[in-house]
Each structure stands twice: as structure tokens, then as C-alpha cells.
Amino acid sequence: GIQVEQSPPDLILQEGANSTLRCNFSDSVNNLQWFHQNPWGQLINLFYIPSGTKQNGRLSATTVATERYSLLYISSSQTTDSGVYFCAVDRGSTLGRLYFGRGTQLTVWP
Amino acid sequence: DTGVSQDPRHKITKRGQNVTFRCDPISEHNRLYWYRQTLGQGPEFLTYFQNEAQLEKSRLLSDRFSAERPKGSFSTLEIQRTEQGDSAMYLCASSLSWDTNTGELFFGEGSRLTVL
């Protein structure tokens, strides 16, 4: 299957700081999604971004599919941003299957 | 529609018992997925349905696992003769897609299984 690597594995920030999370993948992909897993375990959709750049409030994401990476930017972080951020990709040739990275554990202190 | 719902949210069972989880997808979505997540790992694909047809199953889905989506709406995932290694979060997701793309997946809150 496709390899998805996320970095850094852990990130600790003070409230108000900015951060960049990275997702590298080993093969060409049709789609890419970023999720935030809240403390109760639910995966919340952040971005559906096979290519290009999108912004949603303090969050933005960029995917460069030809270079096989995606970046998630969090600006002016808040304590509610804490949790695990996952990147997941879809190869298209394996119908229905998203491949997830191991996530970045973000902790934001007040 | 309020999204994907799963039931029960938590299940504690003894080894050897059978358990069943239910997932209700977003109503207009034709695809439904089951994933499993263990501590410290990303979710891993188990199986998926397009309407009522089960189109792909992972090698993770042993003979003790069975999933159904009888009318193309809700789905059930049954685990027979549970083992301690089955302890995990079982996640359901749905999407709307008619081609080789998965579409944008929306996940439920998950069903956490603990096998004693």
C-alpha cells in the first residue's frame, strides 16, 4: 500500500503561536483529506484537498501532488486546537480505501 | 441530517462473546466504510460498501468479522468470539461518490470496544 508519513509526531505550543504540520506520501494520489481527532475520538473534517490551497478561518492547507506532500497551517493557535491531526490519502486504484498517517499530536497550552 | 451516527458508543465484553455495532450514514451517501483504530495509530481500513454491495475487504477482516448493509442504508459490523486483540475504536464513515475516488469521507463518533 501507499506510505503516509506525518511530521512532527508531537508538537507543543503556547496559545497564539503558529504551526505547520507536514504530510508526505509515497505514491500519486487522487485525493487527500486532513482530519482533527477530538479528545472523544471523533474525526472532524478539516480539508478535502487533492491539490492546491484552501483556507478556513485560522487553518489553511496546501497540497502539491506532483511533489507528494501536503501542509496544514494553524495560525494563532488556541487550546481547542489540541488533539491529533491526521492526513489521509486515496490512491484511486484501491476503491474505498483511505490510507492514514500516524498523526501529529498537538498540545496547545494557555 | 446530523451526520454519521454509531451505536453503541462504548462496549465492554468478555472474551469469546459476540458483539455487533451499527452505523447510520449520512442519508444521501451511497458509500459506507468501516475502519479500526488502535491506540497511537491512524485508522485502518476494514471494508466498504457501495449501496448494499460489499466491494472490498481488508486482510484485517478475519473470518470472525462480518459486515452487512442489507438495504443500502445502515450497516452492521459483527465480531464473533471476540479476542483481547479486538479491543479498538471502530469507526464508520460515509461518502458520496460514483467513480474511483473515495469522495470526501465523513466519520461518526466511533464505537469503542474493550474485550476483557
Side-chain angles (χ1 to χ4, degrees):
Chain A
I2 191 169
Q3 304 301 312
V4 182
E5 294 184 358
Q6 292 187 243
S7 60
D10 297 280
L11 187 56
I12 300 174
L13 300 173
Q14 192 125 34
E15 210 168 21
N18 302 330
S19 60
T20 301
L21 282 59
R22 187 177 180 101
C23 172
N24 292 334
F25 38 95
S26 61
D27 204 347
S28 57
V29 299
N30 275 14
N31 294 311
L32 186 144
Q33 285 189 246
W34 282 98
F35 297 93
H36 176 214
Q37 190 163 42
N38 65 24
W40 298 271
Q42 185 171 12
L43 288 164
I44 308 297
N45 290 41
L46 296 177
F47 293 102
Y48 177 66
I49 184 168
S51 64
T53 297
K54 291 185 177 180
Q55 180 151 10
N56 184 3
R58 296 181 297 103
L59 273 61
S60 64
T62 295
T63 297
V64 184
T66 53
E67 297 187 22
R68 300 181 183 171
Y69 74 90
S70 183
L71 301 173
L72 177 68
Y73 305 96
I74 305 174
S75 64
S76 305
S77 56
Q78 301 175 358
T79 56
T80 52
D81 294 332
S82 296
V84 184
Y85 289 80
F86 286 104
C87 165
V89 301
D90 155 30
R91 290 181 65 182
S93 59
T94 51
L95 297 180
R97 186 181 300 227
L98 276 185
Y99 293 86
F100 281 79
R102 295 189 65 174
T104 292
Q105 173 76 58
L106 175 64
T107 304
V108 182
W109 294 98
Chain B
D1 189 283
T2 57
V4 179
S5 62
Q6 293 188 241
D7 183 71
R9 296 287 312 282
H10 303 274
K11 179 71 177 178
I12 300 174
T13 190
K14 293 183 179 179
R15 189 177 54 186
Q17 298 295 306
N18 299 343
V19 297
T20 299
F21 301 113
R22 176 181 169 122
C23 172
D24 287 88
I26 293 172
S27 58
E28 64 268 26
H29 284 184
N30 60 332
R31 290 188 179 174
L32 185 148
Y33 309 81
W34 287 100
Y35 282 76
R36 181 172 71 182
Q37 186 179 21
T38 53
L39 199 62
Q41 304 294 319
E44 294 176 291
F45 171 83
L46 291 179
T47 188
Y48 106 99
F49 295 84
Q50 179 155 312
N51 301 314
E52 66 276 6
Q54 188 173 18
L55 296 187
E56 190 179 358
K57 293 195 294 185
S58 163
R59 289 173 297 178
L60 293 175
L61 216 63
S62 76
D63 291 344
R64 298 184 296 104
F65 288 70
S66 62
E68 294 183 340
R69 193 183 183 198
K71 296 183 180 179
S73 56
F74 74 91
S75 175
T76 57
L77 175 69
E78 182 184 17
I79 309 174
Q80 297 182 325
R81 304 181 304 281
T82 52
E83 302 173 356
Q84 288 183 325
D86 298 331
S87 295
M89 175 79 91
Y90 290 85
L91 296 163
C92 177
S94 68
S95 73
L96 179 64
S97 180
W98 297 100
D99 58 19
T100 57
N101 291 335
T102 58
E104 184 175 6
L105 267 66
F106 293 86
F107 281 83
E109 295 175 303
S111 293
R112 187 174 297 280
L113 174 65
T114 302
V115 182
L116 302 176

